[in-house]
Amino acid sequence: MSDAEQVRQHVRVYLMMFLALAVLTIVTVTISYFRLPMTYAIPLAITVAAVKAGLVAGYFMHLISEEKVILYVLLLCASFFVFLMALPVSTETGIAPLWPLSGG
Amino acid sequence: MSTVVIPWQVKPHPLTGVTSGKLGIWLFLASEVMLFGALFSSYVLLRVGSPHEYWPRGVQAGLSVPIGTFNTLVLITSSVTMVMAWASLKMNQFAAFKRYFGATIGLGSTFLVVKAFEYGTKFHHGIFPWVGWPQPTDPSTFNALYFTLTGLHGLHVLLGVLAYLWFLFVGVRMWKTDPERFTGRIEICGLYWHFVDLVWIFLFPVLYLL
């Protein structure tokens, strides 16, 4: 199959992804009107956002069929990102002792 | 004088399997993840460390959910028009490319105009980055984070729109001389734009809804 034909088939997927993203946006906004307690609202909103981000990265940015070298770069990047997010949470909850030298 | 040619601009490098430009933009985007990641990390730190009464939901701080939702849909639509612009080039449909690429620029500009309107309303009500919540002298950092995060994101949108205007009116000449390389450039433009959309996908619920 030629490059152009492959892209022609992908166009339909792009439009489906657009619909999915629009629907998920409406879902996030609708959930916010329920005024759930933050312990439920935060994980729920972040999960929907992560699904949307996955669709954008996977299909619009073509990560789903990208070369391994790009995936390795992003894997390294993602591990640093998780560390960045874990730092403030650990300082507040104290469940992950990331500060062995603080003496506190 | 000899001309220096950057290798692997059109054909993928045999070791990596991708072009130099594509590898370059992904490395740049990885650094962008760290930039926004540091700001999101600061947001989490400041929010979990803040007394509950000093941290508003977006609505309480005067943010409009319908306007934020509208802008989210505008950016999502612009992501689709951007990927369609690239797909049009791949299918050798240059007129369609110009329509989709122009639409992306239009939608990006719409996002910025709406954001400017939101900022204007806030300034009109005396809300600036250094103003606390609920009282202007309270120690809340919500406004500082709101303006920093949305300001940096808006700057990315603005730079994208300016770069795309250049591609639409000047850089587009390359389509006649080297269409494959031009298509590669538009793909790189698209990767940047989708990343900007991706950041907003997280900013919207974090600032407006939670």
mmCIF file of all heavy atoms in Angstrom, chain B residues 42-85:
data_model
loop_
_atom_site.group_PDB
_atom_site.id
_atom_site.type_symbol
_atom_site.label_atom_id
_atom_site.label_comp_id
_atom_site.label_asym_id
_atom_site.label_seq_id
_atom_site.Cartn_x
_atom_site.Cartn_y
_atom_site.Cartn_z
ATOM 1 N N SER B 42 5.332 22.445 40.959
ATOM 2 C CA SER B 42 5.195 23.591 41.863
ATOM 3 C C SER B 42 3.731 23.792 42.251
ATOM 4 O O SER B 42 3.415 24.097 43.405
ATOM 5 C CB SER B 42 5.691 24.871 41.190
ATOM 6 O OG SER B 42 6.983 24.686 40.697
ATOM 7 N N TYR B 43 2.866 23.604 41.271
ATOM 8 C CA TYR B 43 1.421 23.746 41.519
ATOM 9 C C TYR B 43 0.990 22.755 42.613
ATOM 10 O O TYR B 43 0.311 23.132 43.569
ATOM 11 C CB TYR B 43 0.644 23.499 40.224
ATOM 12 C CG TYR B 43 -0.844 23.396 40.419
ATOM 13 C CD1 TYR B 43 -1.660 24.524 40.397
ATOM 14 C CD2 TYR B 43 -1.455 22.159 40.645
ATOM 15 C CE1 TYR B 43 -3.026 24.431 40.600
ATOM 16 C CE2 TYR B 43 -2.821 22.053 40.846
ATOM 17 C CZ TYR B 43 -3.600 23.198 40.813
ATOM 18 O OH TYR B 43 -4.951 23.084 41.035
ATOM 19 N N VAL B 44 1.405 21.493 42.452
ATOM 20 C CA VAL B 44 1.013 20.460 43.426
ATOM 21 C C VAL B 44 1.556 20.820 44.804
ATOM 22 O O VAL B 44 0.837 20.780 45.812
ATOM 23 C CB VAL B 44 1.520 19.069 42.985
ATOM 24 C CG1 VAL B 44 1.210 18.017 44.048
ATOM 25 C CG2 VAL B 44 0.893 18.660 41.656
ATOM 26 N N LEU B 45 2.832 21.218 44.845
ATOM 27 C CA LEU B 45 3.473 21.558 46.120
ATOM 28 C C LEU B 45 2.728 22.700 46.803
ATOM 29 O O LEU B 45 2.419 22.629 48.003
ATOM 30 C CB LEU B 45 4.937 21.953 45.881
ATOM 31 C CG LEU B 45 5.741 22.279 47.137
ATOM 32 C CD1 LEU B 45 6.000 21.028 47.950
ATOM 33 C CD2 LEU B 45 7.060 22.948 46.800
ATOM 34 N N LEU B 46 2.445 23.759 46.050
ATOM 35 C CA LEU B 46 1.792 24.929 46.641
ATOM 36 C C LEU B 46 0.344 24.636 47.017
ATOM 37 O O LEU B 46 -0.157 25.137 48.020
ATOM 38 C CB LEU B 46 1.868 26.113 45.675
ATOM 39 C CG LEU B 46 3.279 26.684 45.495
ATOM 40 C CD1 LEU B 46 3.341 27.616 44.302
ATOM 41 C CD2 LEU B 46 3.731 27.404 46.756
ATOM 42 N N ARG B 47 -0.304 23.790 46.208
ATOM 43 C CA ARG B 47 -1.707 23.498 46.510
ATOM 44 C C ARG B 47 -1.858 22.604 47.742
ATOM 45 O O ARG B 47 -2.682 22.891 48.615
ATOM 46 C CB ARG B 47 -2.393 22.855 45.310
ATOM 47 C CG ARG B 47 -3.846 22.577 45.619
ATOM 48 C CD ARG B 47 -4.704 22.337 44.430
ATOM 49 N NE ARG B 47 -6.099 22.312 44.856
ATOM 50 C CZ ARG B 47 -7.127 22.294 44.040
ATOM 51 N NH1 ARG B 47 -6.934 22.309 42.752
ATOM 52 N NH2 ARG B 47 -8.354 22.263 44.495
ATOM 53 N N VAL B 48 -1.077 21.517 47.796
ATOM 54 C CA VAL B 48 -1.239 20.611 48.949
ATOM 55 C C VAL B 48 -0.738 21.272 50.236
ATOM 56 O O VAL B 48 -1.166 20.911 51.328
ATOM 57 C CB VAL B 48 -0.534 19.239 48.748
ATOM 58 C CG1 VAL B 48 -1.140 18.463 47.609
ATOM 59 C CG2 VAL B 48 0.959 19.397 48.560
ATOM 60 N N GLY B 49 0.141 22.256 50.099
ATOM 61 C CA GLY B 49 0.665 22.936 51.295
ATOM 62 C C GLY B 49 -0.172 24.131 51.711
ATOM 63 O O GLY B 49 0.105 24.763 52.728
ATOM 64 N N SER B 50 -1.193 24.447 50.902
ATOM 65 C CA SER B 50 -1.987 25.634 51.193
ATOM 66 C C SER B 50 -3.207 25.284 52.042
ATOM 67 O O SER B 50 -3.860 24.270 51.788
ATOM 68 C CB SER B 50 -2.439 26.257 49.869
ATOM 69 O OG SER B 50 -3.401 27.243 50.105
ATOM 70 N N PRO B 51 -3.538 26.110 53.036
ATOM 71 C CA PRO B 51 -4.782 25.862 53.790
ATOM 72 C C PRO B 51 -5.975 25.888 52.830
ATOM 73 O O PRO B 51 -5.999 26.680 51.883
ATOM 74 C CB PRO B 51 -4.841 27.035 54.771
ATOM 75 C CG PRO B 51 -3.442 27.548 54.856
ATOM 76 C CD PRO B 51 -2.817 27.280 53.523
ATOM 77 N N HIS B 52 -6.934 24.993 53.090
ATOM 78 C CA HIS B 52 -8.071 24.807 52.192
ATOM 79 C C HIS B 52 -8.780 26.122 51.869
ATOM 80 O O HIS B 52 -9.192 26.370 50.728
ATOM 81 C CB HIS B 52 -9.049 23.818 52.844
ATOM 82 C CG HIS B 52 -10.211 23.495 51.983
ATOM 83 N ND1 HIS B 52 -10.086 22.838 50.782
ATOM 84 C CD2 HIS B 52 -11.541 23.779 52.123
ATOM 85 C CE1 HIS B 52 -11.286 22.699 50.237
ATOM 86 N NE2 HIS B 52 -12.170 23.268 51.022
ATOM 87 N N GLU B 53 -8.907 27.002 52.886
ATOM 88 C CA GLU B 53 -9.699 28.227 52.690
ATOM 89 C C GLU B 53 -9.005 29.254 51.795
ATOM 90 O O GLU B 53 -9.602 30.242 51.394
ATOM 91 C CB GLU B 53 -10.058 28.867 54.044
ATOM 92 C CG GLU B 53 -8.887 29.302 54.907
ATOM 93 C CD GLU B 53 -8.394 28.184 55.826
ATOM 94 O OE1 GLU B 53 -8.620 26.997 55.492
ATOM 95 O OE2 GLU B 53 -7.768 28.511 56.849
ATOM 96 N N TYR B 54 -7.710 29.001 51.487
ATOM 97 C CA TYR B 54 -6.991 29.945 50.619
ATOM 98 C C TYR B 54 -6.821 29.425 49.196
ATOM 99 O O TYR B 54 -6.096 30.009 48.404
ATOM 100 C CB TYR B 54 -5.602 30.259 51.203
ATOM 101 C CG TYR B 54 -5.661 31.092 52.455
ATOM 102 C CD1 TYR B 54 -5.024 30.672 53.619
ATOM 103 C CD2 TYR B 54 -6.354 32.296 52.481
ATOM 104 C CE1 TYR B 54 -5.083 31.429 54.776
ATOM 105 C CE2 TYR B 54 -6.421 33.052 53.626
ATOM 106 C CZ TYR B 54 -5.789 32.617 54.773
ATOM 107 O OH TYR B 54 -5.853 33.361 55.909
ATOM 108 N N TRP B 55 -7.435 28.247 48.910
ATOM 109 C CA TRP B 55 -7.291 27.713 47.554
ATOM 110 C C TRP B 55 -8.659 27.564 46.893
ATOM 111 O O TRP B 55 -9.427 26.680 47.262
ATOM 112 C CB TRP B 55 -6.558 26.369 47.535
ATOM 113 C CG TRP B 55 -5.967 26.168 46.177
ATOM 114 C CD1 TRP B 55 -6.590 25.634 45.085
ATOM 115 C CD2 TRP B 55 -4.679 26.576 45.741
ATOM 116 N NE1 TRP B 55 -5.760 25.689 43.996
ATOM 117 C CE2 TRP B 55 -4.577 26.255 44.372
ATOM 118 C CE3 TRP B 55 -3.594 27.187 46.372
ATOM 119 C CZ2 TRP B 55 -3.441 26.515 43.625
ATOM 120 C CZ3 TRP B 55 -2.459 27.453 45.630
ATOM 121 C CH2 TRP B 55 -2.386 27.113 44.280
ATOM 122 N N PRO B 56 -8.975 28.414 45.924
ATOM 123 C CA PRO B 56 -10.314 28.376 45.321
ATOM 124 C C PRO B 56 -10.432 27.338 44.209
ATOM 125 O O PRO B 56 -9.431 26.949 43.603
ATOM 126 C CB PRO B 56 -10.430 29.774 44.713
ATOM 127 C CG PRO B 56 -9.024 30.110 44.315
ATOM 128 C CD PRO B 56 -8.109 29.433 45.317
ATOM 129 N N ARG B 57 -11.663 26.897 43.948
ATOM 130 C CA ARG B 57 -11.930 26.235 42.676
ATOM 131 C C ARG B 57 -11.883 27.331 41.626
ATOM 132 O O ARG B 57 -12.087 28.508 41.941
ATOM 133 C CB ARG B 57 -13.330 25.615 42.686
ATOM 134 C CG ARG B 57 -13.421 24.301 43.437
ATOM 135 C CD ARG B 57 -14.848 23.777 43.382
ATOM 136 N NE ARG B 57 -14.995 22.579 44.195
ATOM 137 C CZ ARG B 57 -15.187 21.363 43.694
ATOM 138 N NH1 ARG B 57 -15.239 21.173 42.399
ATOM 139 N NH2 ARG B 57 -15.329 20.334 44.488
ATOM 140 N N GLY B 58 -11.665 26.952 40.374
ATOM 141 C CA GLY B 58 -11.549 27.945 39.305
ATOM 142 C C GLY B 58 -12.726 28.910 39.269
ATOM 143 O O GLY B 58 -12.573 30.117 39.091
ATOM 144 N N VAL B 59 -13.945 28.345 39.467
ATOM 145 C CA VAL B 59 -15.157 29.167 39.403
ATOM 146 C C VAL B 59 -15.134 30.229 40.507
ATOM 147 O O VAL B 59 -15.485 31.389 40.276
ATOM 148 C CB VAL B 59 -16.413 28.271 39.554
ATOM 149 C CG1 VAL B 59 -17.677 29.097 39.441
ATOM 150 C CG2 VAL B 59 -16.409 27.193 38.495
ATOM 151 N N GLN B 60 -14.695 29.812 41.709
ATOM 152 C CA GLN B 60 -14.658 30.760 42.828
ATOM 153 C C GLN B 60 -13.681 31.901 42.558
ATOM 154 O O GLN B 60 -13.865 33.012 43.025
ATOM 155 C CB GLN B 60 -14.241 30.019 44.113
ATOM 156 C CG GLN B 60 -15.257 29.018 44.607
ATOM 157 C CD GLN B 60 -14.699 28.171 45.740
ATOM 158 O OE1 GLN B 60 -13.622 27.594 45.643
ATOM 159 N NE2 GLN B 60 -15.443 28.115 46.828
ATOM 160 N N ALA B 61 -12.628 31.587 41.782
ATOM 161 C CA ALA B 61 -11.616 32.605 41.489
ATOM 162 C C ALA B 61 -11.998 33.454 40.270
ATOM 163 O O ALA B 61 -11.201 34.255 39.793
ATOM 164 C CB ALA B 61 -10.276 31.939 41.250
ATOM 165 N N GLY B 62 -13.230 33.259 39.785
ATOM 166 C CA GLY B 62 -13.709 34.099 38.688
ATOM 167 C C GLY B 62 -13.442 33.544 37.296
ATOM 168 O O GLY B 62 -13.632 34.241 36.306
ATOM 169 N N LEU B 63 -13.005 32.268 37.214
ATOM 170 C CA LEU B 63 -12.779 31.686 35.884
ATOM 171 C C LEU B 63 -14.102 31.157 35.334
ATOM 172 O O LEU B 63 -14.895 30.577 36.070
ATOM 173 C CB LEU B 63 -11.757 30.549 35.959
ATOM 174 C CG LEU B 63 -10.341 30.941 36.373
ATOM 175 C CD1 LEU B 63 -9.441 29.711 36.452
ATOM 176 C CD2 LEU B 63 -9.756 31.945 35.399
ATOM 177 N N SER B 64 -14.310 31.352 34.055
ATOM 178 C CA SER B 64 -15.553 30.906 33.421
ATOM 179 C C SER B 64 -15.348 29.530 32.788
ATOM 180 O O SER B 64 -14.550 29.381 31.855
ATOM 181 C CB SER B 64 -15.976 31.918 32.350
ATOM 182 O OG SER B 64 -16.952 31.347 31.513
ATOM 183 N N VAL B 65 -16.097 28.533 33.306
ATOM 184 C CA VAL B 65 -15.982 27.175 32.755
ATOM 185 C C VAL B 65 -16.457 27.114 31.293
ATOM 186 O O VAL B 65 -15.786 26.492 30.452
ATOM 187 C CB VAL B 65 -16.728 26.151 33.654
ATOM 188 C CG1 VAL B 65 -16.766 24.774 33.006
ATOM 189 C CG2 VAL B 65 -16.055 26.072 35.018
ATOM 190 N N PRO B 66 -17.596 27.776 30.945
ATOM 191 C CA PRO B 66 -17.997 27.736 29.516
ATOM 192 C C PRO B 66 -16.929 28.306 28.587
ATOM 193 O O PRO B 66 -16.671 27.739 27.520
ATOM 194 C CB PRO B 66 -19.269 28.595 29.494
ATOM 195 C CG PRO B 66 -19.824 28.493 30.867
ATOM 196 C CD PRO B 66 -18.637 28.407 31.773
ATOM 197 N N ILE B 67 -16.288 29.401 28.999
ATOM 198 C CA ILE B 67 -15.240 29.984 28.141
ATOM 199 C C ILE B 67 -14.041 29.038 28.050
ATOM 200 O O ILE B 67 -13.484 28.815 26.967
ATOM 201 C CB ILE B 67 -14.814 31.382 28.671
ATOM 202 C CG1 ILE B 67 -15.947 32.390 28.450
ATOM 203 C CG2 ILE B 67 -13.536 31.860 27.974
ATOM 204 C CD1 ILE B 67 -15.666 33.774 28.978
ATOM 205 N N GLY B 68 -13.662 28.442 29.176
ATOM 206 C CA GLY B 68 -12.549 27.483 29.185
ATOM 207 C C GLY B 68 -12.868 26.263 28.320
ATOM 208 O O GLY B 68 -12.008 25.761 27.589
ATOM 209 N N THR B 69 -14.131 25.799 28.399
ATOM 210 C CA THR B 69 -14.551 24.646 27.589
ATOM 211 C C THR B 69 -14.487 25.005 26.102
ATOM 212 O O THR B 69 -14.001 24.216 25.279
ATOM 213 C CB THR B 69 -16.003 24.237 27.950
ATOM 214 O OG1 THR B 69 -16.083 24.062 29.356
ATOM 215 C CG2 THR B 69 -16.403 22.951 27.258
ATOM 216 N N PHE B 70 -14.972 26.208 25.791
ATOM 217 C CA PHE B 70 -14.933 26.667 24.394
ATOM 218 C C PHE B 70 -13.496 26.671 23.877
ATOM 219 O O PHE B 70 -13.205 26.152 22.794
ATOM 220 C CB PHE B 70 -15.549 28.074 24.293
ATOM 221 C CG PHE B 70 -15.391 28.694 22.938
ATOM 222 C CD1 PHE B 70 -16.201 28.298 21.879
ATOM 223 C CD2 PHE B 70 -14.422 29.670 22.704
ATOM 224 C CE1 PHE B 70 -16.044 28.856 20.622
ATOM 225 C CE2 PHE B 70 -14.263 30.230 21.446
ATOM 226 C CZ PHE B 70 -15.077 29.822 20.403
ATOM 227 N N ASN B 71 -12.590 27.225 24.677
ATOM 228 C CA ASN B 71 -11.188 27.286 24.249
ATOM 229 C C ASN B 71 -10.562 25.899 24.117
ATOM 230 O O ASN B 71 -9.724 25.664 23.245
ATOM 231 C CB ASN B 71 -10.382 28.137 25.238
ATOM 232 C CG ASN B 71 -9.912 29.425 24.588
ATOM 233 O OD1 ASN B 71 -10.163 29.664 23.410
ATOM 234 N ND2 ASN B 71 -9.204 30.242 25.340
ATOM 235 N N THR B 72 -10.993 24.963 24.991
ATOM 236 C CA THR B 72 -10.497 23.581 24.886
ATOM 237 C C THR B 72 -10.937 22.971 23.561
ATOM 238 O O THR B 72 -10.129 22.344 22.854
ATOM 239 C CB THR B 72 -11.047 22.730 26.060
ATOM 240 O OG1 THR B 72 -10.700 23.377 27.280
ATOM 241 C CG2 THR B 72 -10.474 21.329 26.058
ATOM 242 N N LEU B 73 -12.207 23.176 23.218
ATOM 243 C CA LEU B 73 -12.721 22.630 21.960
ATOM 244 C C LEU B 73 -12.045 23.290 20.756
ATOM 245 O O LEU B 73 -11.785 22.634 19.743
ATOM 246 C CB LEU B 73 -14.248 22.800 21.890
ATOM 247 C CG LEU B 73 -15.026 21.942 22.906
ATOM 248 C CD1 LEU B 73 -16.501 22.299 22.913
ATOM 249 C CD2 LEU B 73 -14.853 20.449 22.623
ATOM 250 N N VAL B 74 -11.729 24.585 20.891
ATOM 251 C CA VAL B 74 -11.027 25.292 19.807
ATOM 252 C C VAL B 74 -9.652 24.645 19.570
ATOM 253 O O VAL B 74 -9.265 24.362 18.429
ATOM 254 C CB VAL B 74 -10.863 26.802 20.156
ATOM 255 C CG1 VAL B 74 -9.815 27.465 19.271
ATOM 256 C CG2 VAL B 74 -12.192 27.524 19.988
ATOM 257 N N LEU B 75 -8.929 24.377 20.671
ATOM 258 C CA LEU B 75 -7.589 23.785 20.517
ATOM 259 C C LEU B 75 -7.646 22.357 19.980
ATOM 260 O O LEU B 75 -6.814 21.959 19.163
ATOM 261 C CB LEU B 75 -6.836 23.801 21.858
ATOM 262 C CG LEU B 75 -5.905 24.987 22.127
ATOM 263 C CD1 LEU B 75 -4.936 24.648 23.245
ATOM 264 C CD2 LEU B 75 -5.120 25.417 20.901
ATOM 265 N N ILE B 76 -8.645 21.584 20.450
ATOM 266 C CA ILE B 76 -8.791 20.207 19.957
ATOM 267 C C ILE B 76 -9.071 20.232 18.451
ATOM 268 O O ILE B 76 -8.480 19.472 17.675
ATOM 269 C CB ILE B 76 -9.917 19.470 20.717
ATOM 270 C CG1 ILE B 76 -9.473 19.158 22.149
ATOM 271 C CG2 ILE B 76 -10.311 18.178 20.017
ATOM 272 C CD1 ILE B 76 -10.582 18.627 23.034
ATOM 273 N N THR B 77 -9.974 21.146 18.048
ATOM 274 C CA THR B 77 -10.291 21.266 16.618
ATOM 275 C C THR B 77 -9.046 21.657 15.813
ATOM 276 O O THR B 77 -8.805 21.132 14.719
ATOM 277 C CB THR B 77 -11.413 22.321 16.402
ATOM 278 O OG1 THR B 77 -12.470 22.042 17.301
ATOM 279 C CG2 THR B 77 -11.938 22.279 14.978
ATOM 280 N N SER B 78 -8.243 22.557 16.392
ATOM 281 C CA SER B 78 -7.030 22.993 15.683
ATOM 282 C C SER B 78 -6.036 21.841 15.534
ATOM 283 O O SER B 78 -5.273 21.788 14.570
ATOM 284 C CB SER B 78 -6.375 24.178 16.402
ATOM 285 O OG SER B 78 -5.693 23.752 17.547
ATOM 286 N N SER B 79 -6.054 20.913 16.498
ATOM 287 C CA SER B 79 -5.179 19.743 16.383
ATOM 288 C C SER B 79 -5.608 18.881 15.195
ATOM 289 O O SER B 79 -4.771 18.321 14.482
ATOM 290 C CB SER B 79 -5.230 18.912 17.674
ATOM 291 O OG SER B 79 -4.038 19.046 18.399
ATOM 292 N N VAL B 80 -6.937 18.761 15.017
ATOM 293 C CA VAL B 80 -7.441 17.961 13.895
ATOM 294 C C VAL B 80 -7.102 18.640 12.568
ATOM 295 O O VAL B 80 -6.628 17.986 11.630
ATOM 296 C CB VAL B 80 -8.978 17.750 14.008
ATOM 297 C CG1 VAL B 80 -9.475 16.895 12.860
ATOM 298 C CG2 VAL B 80 -9.312 17.093 15.303
ATOM 299 N N THR B 81 -7.317 19.964 12.489
ATOM 300 C CA THR B 81 -7.017 20.663 11.232
ATOM 301 C C THR B 81 -5.516 20.572 10.924
ATOM 302 O O THR B 81 -5.126 20.476 9.763
ATOM 303 C CB THR B 81 -7.462 22.142 11.277
ATOM 304 O OG1 THR B 81 -6.887 22.757 12.424
ATOM 305 C CG2 THR B 81 -8.968 22.268 11.333
ATOM 306 N N MET B 82 -4.700 20.584 11.991
ATOM 307 C CA MET B 82 -3.246 20.486 11.766
ATOM 308 C C MET B 82 -2.865 19.119 11.196
ATOM 309 O O MET B 82 -2.094 19.025 10.229
ATOM 310 C CB MET B 82 -2.506 20.740 13.087
ATOM 311 C CG MET B 82 -1.013 20.619 12.997
ATOM 312 S SD MET B 82 -0.306 21.679 11.722
ATOM 313 C CE MET B 82 0.376 22.988 12.686
ATOM 314 N N VAL B 83 -3.408 18.062 11.781
ATOM 315 C CA VAL B 83 -3.063 16.720 11.289
ATOM 316 C C VAL B 83 -3.640 16.526 9.875
ATOM 317 O O VAL B 83 -3.045 15.844 9.030
ATOM 318 C CB VAL B 83 -3.506 15.616 12.287
ATOM 319 C CG1 VAL B 83 -4.982 15.302 12.195
ATOM 320 C CG2 VAL B 83 -2.697 14.348 12.093
ATOM 321 N N MET B 84 -4.789 17.168 9.606
ATOM 322 C CA MET B 84 -5.378 17.078 8.262
ATOM 323 C C MET B 84 -4.537 17.852 7.242
ATOM 324 O O MET B 84 -4.464 17.460 6.071
ATOM 325 C CB MET B 84 -6.815 17.611 8.275
ATOM 326 C CG MET B 84 -7.812 16.714 8.999
ATOM 327 S SD MET B 84 -7.938 15.067 8.307
ATOM 328 C CE MET B 84 -8.717 15.416 6.757
ATOM 329 N N ALA B 85 -3.904 18.944 7.694
ATOM 330 C CA ALA B 85 -3.021 19.710 6.806
ATOM 331 C C ALA B 85 -1.849 18.838 6.360
ATOM 332 O O ALA B 85 -1.500 18.772 5.178
ATOM 333 C CB ALA B 85 -2.518 20.959 7.523
#
